[in-house]
Amino acid sequence: MSGLSHSENHMIHRIGWLRAAVLGANDGLVSTASLVVGVAAAGSGRPEILIAGLAGLVAGAMSMAAGEYVSVSSQTDAEQADIARETRELGETPEAELDELTRIYVARGLDDGLARQVAIQLSDKDALGAHSRDELGISETVTAHPIQAALVSAATFAVGAVIPLIIAVLVPAPQITLVVAVTTLVALSVLGGLGASVGGAGVVKGAVRVTLWGALAMAATAGVGMLFGVVA
């Protein structure tokens, strides 16, 4: 028998904050870079570009936090409502709930006797926990955390948005559009690959997907900027 301990680190354990972090950083980078590129393509000076980019960073971070909080809070409300209903049913009809738990385990492959035994033992220890996990699919691992999701989204959005702003400060004004676009595409490919890798998905597929949509976003805003620059 091996003396080495067996440790597993599944992706589901970090899917909540990972999703918020990847989406936040990606949105911050794409939206702010697109804003900077669009304003620069219109022929604006560095001050105007930086003001627009900084305003986009603040507005975007707050919007991400609010949106994520509302979305995850809705999920939390639904989970709490299900748990409250399950608590009531366990108090009113415990035998029916035990039968329901037994059927769940039978459907998963246990024979009737063993399924009943498992249902009884788990119910004796924590009936609500067993039903929340096996009937409702709610556990501490995957439960929603609105404040955590909101803070992570806002922070990662700001981190992503800072990149094009730093570039806009450092490079000559006539080169802002090109340098921001190229740097953003490189950063998006790294971000997409990293997010896919940490999440257990294909690195190349994740990088290409994020980079492609980032390129389309910047191309669209650059087109708008050039159009209004000509009109003006």
Side-chain angles (χ1 to χ4, degrees), residues 89-179:
E89 291 174 350
L90 284 168
E92 296 174 351
T93 56
E95 283 301 320
E97 292 300 302
L98 187 62
D99 291 340
E100 186 176 31
L101 202 58
T102 300
R103 289 193 297 271
I104 291 173
Y105 298 141
V106 169
R108 293 181 181 178
L110 299 182
D111 60 53
D112 292 348
L114 181 57
R116 188 68 174 186
Q117 183 180 0
V118 170
I120 291 173
Q121 291 187 8
L122 289 179
S123 295
D124 287 343
K125 181 179 180 180
D126 182 9
L128 180 59
H131 280 272
S132 297
R133 180 181 61 253
D134 296 322
E135 180 184 348
L136 304 177
I138 300 173
S139 70
E140 183 61 29
T141 300
V142 296
T143 193
H145 297 289
I147 294 179
Q148 179 193 58
L151 292 177
V152 169
S153 293
T156 53
F157 183 99
V159 170
V162 162
I163 296 175
L165 289 179
I166 292 175
I167 296 170
V169 170
L170 297 179
V171 303
Q175 299 177 14
I176 288 178
T177 300
L178 177 61
V179 177

Side-chain angles (χ1 to χ4, degrees), residues 4-228:
L4 296 176
S5 61
H6 179 62
S7 177
E8 294 184 349
N9 187 17
H10 296 292
M11 301 304 168
I12 191 66
H13 296 157
R14 57 193 178 207
I15 194 63
W17 66 262
L18 175 62
R19 178 182 68 88
V22 171
L23 288 177
N26 178 70
D27 286 350
L29 182 56
V30 171
S31 62
T32 306
S34 298
L35 186 59
V36 167
V37 166
V39 175
S44 302
R46 193 192 306 274
E48 291 79 9
I49 295 172
L50 293 177
I51 290 172
L54 184 58
L57 184 157
V58 174
M62 294 304 297
S63 177
M64 285 289 293
E68 196 71 20
Y69 181 83
V70 170
S71 175
V72 179
S73 291
S74 298
Q75 179 184 341
T76 301
D77 292 342
E79 291 176 354
Q80 294 301 320
D82 284 340
I83 291 174
R85 183 174 62 251
E86 200 64 35
T87 301
R88 184 175 62 254
E89 291 174 350
L90 284 168
E92 296 174 351
T93 56
E95 283 301 320
E97 292 300 302
L98 187 62
D99 291 340
E100 186 176 31
L101 202 58
T102 300
R103 289 193 297 271
I104 291 173
Y105 298 141
V106 169
R108 293 181 181 178
L110 299 182
D111 60 53
D112 292 348
L114 181 57
R116 188 68 174 186
Q117 183 180 0
V118 170
I120 291 173
Q121 291 187 8
L122 289 179
S123 295
D124 287 343
K125 181 179 180 180
D126 182 9
L128 180 59
H131 280 272
S132 297
R133 180 181 61 253
D134 296 322
E135 180 184 348
L136 304 177
I138 300 173
S139 70
E140 183 61 29
T141 300
V142 296
T143 193
H145 297 289
I147 294 179
Q148 179 193 58
L151 292 177
V152 169
S153 293
T156 53
F157 183 99
V159 170
V162 162
I163 296 175
L165 289 179
I166 292 175
I167 296 170
V169 170
L170 297 179
V171 303
Q175 299 177 14
I176 288 178
T177 300
L178 177 61
V179 177
V180 166
V182 172
T183 306
T184 298
L185 292 178
V186 173
L188 284 174
S189 66
V190 173
L191 178 63
L194 179 61
S197 176
V198 174
V203 173
V204 175
K205 182 179 179 180
V208 170
R209 180 171 52 206
V210 173
T211 305
L212 174 61
W213 284 102
L216 291 175
M218 287 188 291
T221 53
V224 171
M226 288 186 289
L227 176 62
F228 278 90

